[in-house]
């Protein structure tokens, strides 16, 4: 599988095209399959497109690339967002959902989630290998909860780490690049002009400068779905 950068005119068209790709994969992928979701606002548009067409979601297991350390019913819970915009509409059953428990002590939950992944996600090489990880990117180039200036999470030898949001100091549980890069497919959904500069840094200057630039499937494919606003500095000059 080759990497790709896919640019579409609007946020909605970008999310729709990514959803169509995911649905085609879901209907052909060998089951059981293992998918990790991201949080933030962008995935809600994607989730809404995913629910519009029929797909066989049975035997798909859902995980998260990161979660905020908040209660399950908190408005910032990535689980709550997925439950409302994806799981409820398509009828995902509880045994398919492997939630990061944001209500737990972060250090304990880091350990617990790392073990749940090791025990439930089949390995490739000597690491668990998700079939697909869906990621976003912040305007500062963070992805999952891998933030600039936090090398201890970026270069961690573990599968999960506790991170701290640099502005809000909110604690997060995040997958590490070591685990993410062992996935068969990594799909980025990045929209909005505020993301353009970081995309330019990653794709035109020096990927290593930003956390999202450290993400690249080692054995599979990395696909970027980007709207024209976010891709404005990527056009061939
Ligand atoms: C999170 C996400 C985070 C998100 C980016 C982009 O839990 O916040 O995993 O990495 O993907 O912050 O967020 P938006 O899509 O809301 O811009």
């Amino acid at each position: 599988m080759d990497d790709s950068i896919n640019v579409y005119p609007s946020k909605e068209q970008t999310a729709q095209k990514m959803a169509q790709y995911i649905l085609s994969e879901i209907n052909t992928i060998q089951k059981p399959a293992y998918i990790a979701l991201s949080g933030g606002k962008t995935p809600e548009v994607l989730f809404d497109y995913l629910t519009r067409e029929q797909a066989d979601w049975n035997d798909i297991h859902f995980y998260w690339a990161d979660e905020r350390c908040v209660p399950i019913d908190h408005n910032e819970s990535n689980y709550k967002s997925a439950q409302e915009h994806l799981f409820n509409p398509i009828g995902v059953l509880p045994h398919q959902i492997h939630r990061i428990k944001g209500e737990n002590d972060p250090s304990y939950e880091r350990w617990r989630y790392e073990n749940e992944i090791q025990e439930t996600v089949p390995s490739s090489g000597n690491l668990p290998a998700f079939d697909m990880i869906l990621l976003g990117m912040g305007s500062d180039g963070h992805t999952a909860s891998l933030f600039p200036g936090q090398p201890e999470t970026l270069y961690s030898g573990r599968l999960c780490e506790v991170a701290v949001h640099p502005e809000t100091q909110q604690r997060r549980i995040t997958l590490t690049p070591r685990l993410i890069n062992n996935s068969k497919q990594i799909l980025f959904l990045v929209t909005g002009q505020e993301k353009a500069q970081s995309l330019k840094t990653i794709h035109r200057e020096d990927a290593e400068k930003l956390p999202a630039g450290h993400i690249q499937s080692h054995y599979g494919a990395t696909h970027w779905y980007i709207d024209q606003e976010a891709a404005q500095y990527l056009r061939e000059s």
Side-chain angles (χ1 to χ4, degrees):
M1 284 188 270
D2 297 328
D3 295 348
S4 69
I5 294 179
N6 311 276
V7 180
Y8 300 97
S10 69
K11 172 177 183 173
E12 290 70 21
Q13 285 169 295
T14 308
Q16 186 178 29
K17 289 292 187 183
M18 185 170 171
Q20 286 169 356
Y21 176 78
I22 293 168
L23 290 168
S24 68
E25 290 292 293
I26 293 297
N27 288 323
T28 56
I29 208 167
Q30 184 181 346
K31 308 279 183 7
Y34 305 82
I35 296 178
L37 306 173
S38 254
K41 287 292 162 233
T42 307
E44 291 179 1
V45 182
L46 173 69
F47 294 160
D48 291 342
Y49 279 112
L50 287 175
T51 62
R52 292 188 192 178
E53 292 179 32
Q54 194 53 36
D56 177 13
W57 294 97
N58 296 318
D59 284 335
I60 302 278
H61 290 264
F62 293 94
Y63 299 73
W64 275 265
D66 69 322
E67 179 60 280
R68 293 82 181 273
C69 294
V70 295
I72 191 171
D73 59 353
H74 192 287
N75 275 338
E76 291 196 32
S77 164
N78 291 338
Y79 164 79
K80 182 172 184 280
S81 169
Q83 184 72 16
E84 290 170 3
H85 290 269
L86 183 61
F87 299 154
N88 287 343
I90 62 176
V92 170
L93 299 175
H95 78 275
Q96 295 176 261
I97 300 171
H98 303 261
R99 176 174 77 85
I100 299 174
K101 298 177 179 174
E103 67 275 19
N104 283 348
D105 168 75
S107 300
Y108 167 75
E109 185 55 17
R110 184 217 68 75
W111 172 85
R112 188 201 69 77
Y113 201 61
E114 188 168 81
N115 281 279
E116 178 163 355
I117 291 172
Q118 285 175 310
E119 287 165 8
T120 59
V121 179
S123 284
S124 171
N126 62 349
L127 289 174
F130 286 98
D131 291 280
M132 208 179 277
I133 294 193
L134 310 185
L135 295 173
M137 187 190 77
S139 56
D140 62 354
H142 82 259
T143 188
S145 284
L146 302 163
F147 295 104
Q150 296 185 19
E152 67 281 3
T153 56
L154 206 53
Y155 298 103
S156 170
R158 290 169 158 173
L159 306 184
C160 300
E161 284 292 1
V162 178
V164 180
H165 191 286
E167 282 143 30
T168 64
Q169 305 307 306
Q170 182 187 65
R171 285 185 291 178
R172 309 275 188 92
I173 307 296
T174 186
L175 303 189
T176 60
R178 180 165 182 251
L179 175 56
I180 295 171
N181 290 340
N182 201 50
S183 309
K184 295 171 186 164
Q185 291 196 72
I186 298 169
L187 302 180
F188 277 99
L189 177 57
V190 183
T191 61
Q193 58 83 26
E194 73 278 10
K195 316 257 173 119
Q197 184 56 49
S198 287
L199 284 174
K200 179 185 179 188
T201 302
I202 291 168
H203 291 287
R204 291 288 182 272
E205 295 167 1
D206 177 5
E208 299 273 307
K209 268 187 180 173
L210 298 175
H214 289 248
I215 300 303
Q216 175 81 34
S217 173
H218 289 166
Y219 309 106
T222 305
H223 300 296
W224 292 76
Y225 283 79
I226 305 172
D227 72 351
Q228 272 174 358
E229 279 191 1
Q232 60 186 285
Y233 303 130
L234 300 186
R235 292 188 197 101
E236 296 304 327
S237 49

